[in-house]
Amino acid sequence: MENPKVITPKFRRLEAIVLLALLLIASACGRESRRQAVPSDLQAHVNVIGFPRDIRYFPLDAGHVTQFENDYLRTLDREKEFLGLPKDAVLPPSVNLAISGGGDNGAFGAGLLTGWSEAGTRPVFKLVTGVSTGALMAPFAFLGPAYDDRLRALYTNVSMSDIAVKRMALFAFYGDAMTDNSPLRKLVSKAVDQRVLDAIAVEHDKGRILLVATTNLDLRNAVIWNVTKIAATRRPEALDLVHRILIASAAIPGTFPPVMIDVEAEGKRYQEMHVDGGTVSQVFIYPAAIHLQQLARRQRSLYIIRNARLDPDWAQVDRRTLPIAFRAIRTLIQSQGMGDLYRIYAIATRDKLDYNLAYIPRDFYYPHKADFDTTYMRALFAVGERLAKNGYEWAKSPPVIVSGVDIQPSKESE
């Protein structure tokens, strides 16, 4: 038998020095530097470098609400001009679309939109909004059936390796995220190319609107980006900014790195840190302070695609820190998503928008082995596509979930 190794104090000191050196290297290599955040007293004077200040809105800021209202009224003028209508004419009914977050469950919304095209009943949307995974599909939903192939490819031909790669645990601890989402950047750059951006700019001239939400983590506030206005600037930097916005909207904090946006205020440069728009809301339509029906009277309908199940997701939780924390976060997201649907319902009722809601049906069951499981996504895409092709029955209000049963309010109670 061999003699057991004797670990001397000298060896232990050497081991500790090596470990400390590795930690210092990881700290130096993994920690991302950034330019100073915008001071709170300069928020009203900030603009993205190279772009006018009016390409985005802070929905809780009164000045930005007024800006959104003015921009919306200008879209009505462009719409009338495109349709050949006099300025005092009443516009025809408009259709609006809001697409929620949901990670790989976005395959449901992608399938629904594609099936809607195949049914031949998919409308041209006046306004399209997107958050997180909904932001990634929003440009194609906005541009219409001609871009369904790109939408299908994004949600049936990708896996986790096309989205992100895991970082070494030591580096992730000292860095800004557990993964590197360079693959997603390449995917977005390929899918949303200059041709797509030019097509969005053309639709801007017709009075249409594409909005994407991110979260300014320094400010702890949502930012609504007017992608149509960015495209319409036709600046060389516009495509890169749109890529950054889409990736930021899907940047789950801690999992994916934040996106840094270079800005300036009063002649000095700063950086904003932007992450997943779902941090603030899972789905949105427009700032709640805006009374759309008072701006312009016309018939309006609203379609919401919630890329999630709404029925309870039962599971026994292990009595350990991480399972408890992860389960609590998932519960918060589900509860927030339901609250968003009711908030939008209240806005739609006030502004006389015909409310229509789609979500993953409670009878859909398929093994979900990992995030961005291609087989799971294809199955979910097929469900959404089939439902839309067969004439999807949109819910007219957010459902009340009781023991896994969707209960819609009766006509008498509405």
Side-chain angles (χ1 to χ4, degrees), residues 301-359:
S301 56
L302 169 63
Y303 289 85
I304 304 169
I305 299 176
R306 178 68 178 113
N307 291 303
R309 302 172 66 100
L310 301 189
D311 53 307
D313 176 24
W314 184 92
Q316 179 170 307
V317 182
D318 290 342
R319 193 171 178 178
R320 293 185 294 118
T321 301
L322 288 181
I324 292 171
F326 289 152
R327 185 68 173 177
I329 292 171
R330 289 180 180 273
T331 302
L332 177 62
I333 291 172
Q334 184 181 32
S335 177
Q336 178 196 44
M338 285 293 289
D340 290 334
L341 297 180
Y342 277 93
R343 173 177 50 80
I344 294 175
Y345 182 68
I347 293 172
T349 301
R350 180 198 68 191
D351 292 345
K352 303 187 186 308
L353 278 79
D354 178 40
Y355 185 98
N356 301 272
L357 170 65
Y359 51 92

Side-chain angles (χ1 to χ4, degrees), residues 47-74:
N47 65 280
V48 177
I49 293 174
F51 292 89
R53 192 170 297 163
D54 62 358
I55 60 170
R56 60 184 189 167
Y57 317 100
F58 299 134
L60 299 181
D61 183 282
H64 282 262
V65 169
T66 300
Q67 178 187 314
F68 185 97
E69 291 177 340
N70 293 334
D71 286 347
Y72 188 84
L73 290 173
R74 281 190 282 269

Side-chain angles (χ1 to χ4, degrees), residues 340-384:
D340 290 334
L341 297 180
Y342 277 93
R343 173 177 50 80
I344 294 175
Y345 182 68
I347 293 172
T349 301
R350 180 198 68 191
D351 292 345
K352 303 187 186 308
L353 278 79
D354 178 40
Y355 185 98
N356 301 272
L357 170 65
Y359 51 92
I360 298 175
R362 62 182 298 269
D363 60 357
F364 172 75
Y365 289 103
Y366 197 89
H368 193 189
K369 299 178 181 179
D371 288 337
F372 297 96
D373 178 348
T374 306
T375 306
Y376 170 83
M377 293 170 69
R378 287 175 178 172
L380 186 54
F381 183 96
V383 166

Side-chain angles (χ1 to χ4, degrees), residues 64-77 80 87 89 91 126-127 209 286-298 300 350-351 353:
H64 282 262
V65 169
T66 300
Q67 178 187 314
F68 185 97
E69 291 177 340
N70 293 334
D71 286 347
Y72 188 84
L73 290 173
R74 281 190 282 269
T75 71
L76 300 181
D77 292 337
K80 289 176 183 178
K87 287 191 175 183
L91 283 162
K126 162 71 174 180
L127 169 68
I209 312 167
Y286 50 80
I290 292 170
H291 293 240
L292 207 61
Q293 189 67 3
Q294 294 179 5
L295 290 180
R297 297 189 178 277
R298 71 189 298 187
R300 296 182 178 90
R350 180 198 68 191
D351 292 345
L353 278 79

